[in-house]
Amino acid sequence: MTTRPPTAPHPREVPVPLLNFRDPALTADSHRNRIRPGILFRSAQPFPAADQDTVRALLARDIRTIVDLRGGAERSDADWAAAEEAGIRVRWAPLDATAEMATIDPRSLRTADDLGRFYLTLAESSPGAVADAVTAVTAPGAALVHCAAGKDRTGLITALLLDLAGVPADGIADDYARTAEALPRIFSALAGAAGLGALNAKDAAANTGSVTAHGGQEIPPALLEAPAGAIRAFMDGIRTRHGGTERFLHGCGVDPAAIASFRSKAAPARESVPAAPSGL
């Protein structure tokens, strides 16, 4: 009896060893009529630095660009060294929230609407990073966008891109809220990587709902969640204060050609219509 070797998995079935990794098109656009799957991915940062298994999984999905939204103190050149050696472009577009966090009273950042307004402030205060991130995604091949947890900064950039593609608000909110499933594992990984000891222990502070990380900085309770209302509030702010995503991105310095390029790249493949017989 001849034993056949096991069938190798399809390249896209190779698991990606990154927390919170997903293709937002699969959740945000379930009917596949707004954005083509396989062109935009999102995740948390690598825990630890990306290895060859991670790189193989990314290349299997044709991911040729990684957009890193973390601040300088959060990242290391080693994080994506293996990816760069394999020819994947790593673009750093730091949406560093350090300055904004230093001016915020944690008690004022408690609700989904509060969180959405915080996202709006962060995007408005970092136009260059927003422009760099959106422009990088237009490069050939698929792109992976990430920050530390893959929730806040990644969430707002992903929301802008999905909106550019015409994805309805409900779909954008559904994709953002999916991160809630991964938050316990993300917070545990962040605690080990960066000494954020109590980050995953929200219930430890019964009076305020906040927690305190090592170093004494209080973590606002809203940052420990991923409520759909936060991204709705963010997108509402983009519309009311800037006239919509496209106008906001123009103001950030994104070239109109880059926006057109992303829309072309994201457009779902249309079924060809058979030509009518000649003479009819």
Side-chain angles (χ1 to χ4, degrees):
M1 179 178 179
T2 303
T3 302
R4 293 184 177 180
T7 303
H10 187 278
R12 291 185 181 271
E13 295 175 355
V14 177
V16 179
L18 291 171
L19 290 177
N20 204 22
F21 178 88
R22 65 181 179 276
D23 181 341
L26 300 179
T27 303
D29 185 29
S30 58
H31 296 296
R32 311 289 188 270
N33 59 5
R34 297 291 184 176
I35 183 170
R36 181 165 57 87
I39 62 115
L40 176 66
F41 296 88
R42 59 182 295 174
S43 76
Q45 69 182 44
F47 296 104
D51 59 13
Q52 293 303 320
D53 288 339
T54 302
V55 173
R56 278 192 291 271
L58 298 182
L59 291 175
R61 290 159 175 81
D62 194 35
I63 293 174
R64 302 188 216 169
T65 301
I66 294 170
V67 182
D68 187 343
L69 302 173
R70 294 175 296 170
E74 301 174 88
R75 64 193 297 271
S76 165
D77 290 342
D79 289 341
W80 292 114
E84 291 184 291
E85 290 174 3
I88 298 175
R89 298 177 295 270
V90 178
R91 297 291 181 259
W92 186 34
L95 274 169
D96 193 342
T98 304
E100 284 71 24
M101 288 299 299
T103 63
I104 288 177
D105 180 349
R107 293 170 296 181
S108 70
L109 192 53
R110 302 178 61 87
T111 70
D113 284 348
D114 293 339
L115 187 55
R117 286 190 289 269
F118 171 71
Y119 291 166
L120 183 60
T121 298
L122 180 57
E124 290 174 335
S125 65
S126 306
V130 171
D132 289 346
V134 170
T135 303
V137 169
T138 68
L144 168 66
V145 178
H146 81 92
C147 52
K151 177 176 80 76
D152 304 304
R153 293 165 287 185
T154 300
L156 72 87
I157 292 296
T158 301
L160 293 171
L161 290 167
L162 292 175
D163 191 58
L164 270 187
V167 174
D170 286 347
I172 295 173
D174 287 346
D175 170 67
Y176 169 84
R178 273 201 62 190
T179 292
E181 304 167 12
L183 285 180
R185 289 176 295 150
I186 292 169
F187 291 152
S188 178
L190 285 171
L196 301 176
L199 189 56
N200 60 339
K202 179 184 175 185
D203 295 334
N207 293 330
T208 66
S210 303
V211 298
T212 302
H214 290 315
Q217 183 178 14
E218 194 173 357
I219 307 295
L223 286 178
L224 303 177
E225 300 174 346
I231 212 67
R232 291 181 187 276
F234 168 66
M235 295 307 299
D236 285 345
I238 290 292
R239 283 188 291 273
T240 58
R241 291 177 59 156
H242 300 279
T245 294
E246 186 166 356
R247 291 186 64 181
F248 172 67
L249 293 178
H250 287 164
C252 289
V254 179
D255 193 305
I259 291 176
S261 177
F262 174 74
R263 284 178 168 151
S264 176
K265 180 179 180 179
R270 303 298 181 187
E271 294 183 4
S272 59
V273 179
S278 59
L280 294 183

